[in-house]
Amino acid sequence: MTEEEVVTRLKQAADAKAQAEKGAAAAADAFAAAVADALRAGIKPKTVAEATGYSYETIRRIARANDIGRLREPTVTSRKKVRPEAGD
């Protein structure tokens, strides 16, 4: 191969890589939007995590990035930590 052919091949590979990265970014954005829509519709995070194969933590991060509030009701223990009752 000549140097010109090698450079042409490198440019084509770089263009293909850039297109793939754009596609991956678009797919990630679409996934995050679908997860946020599911959470807003009332689907439990556990169900979303099981359906997508992603961890609960990933689902929580997407929720936080989309300004979605609490994903579950506070437990009795966590409520006591926030509002300790007198005499405990």
Side-chain angles (χ1 to χ4, degrees):
M1 266 201 242
T2 67
E3 185 177 334
E4 185 177 319
E5 290 172 332
V6 171
V7 171
T8 300
R9 187 172 173 202
L10 284 171
K11 287 180 181 179
Q12 290 171 343
D15 289 343
K17 184 176 185 284
Q19 289 298 321
E21 288 172 352
K22 285 181 186 176
D29 290 344
F31 173 73
V35 168
D37 289 345
L39 294 172
R40 285 187 188 108
I43 306 296
K44 292 183 179 183
K46 178 183 176 184
T47 305
V48 175
E50 289 171 353
T52 61
Y54 283 82
S55 70
Y56 180 85
E57 181 62 20
T58 299
I59 303 307
R60 186 193 64 75
R61 286 182 187 149
I62 291 170
R64 184 170 285 172
N66 285 278
D67 295 325
I68 297 172
R70 286 189 166 272
L71 297 180
R72 62 186 173 139
E73 290 298 315
T75 62
V76 173
T77 303
S78 64
R79 283 187 202 149
K80 285 183 179 178
K81 288 179 183 177
V82 173
R83 292 178 270 158
E85 296 176 21
D88 276 349

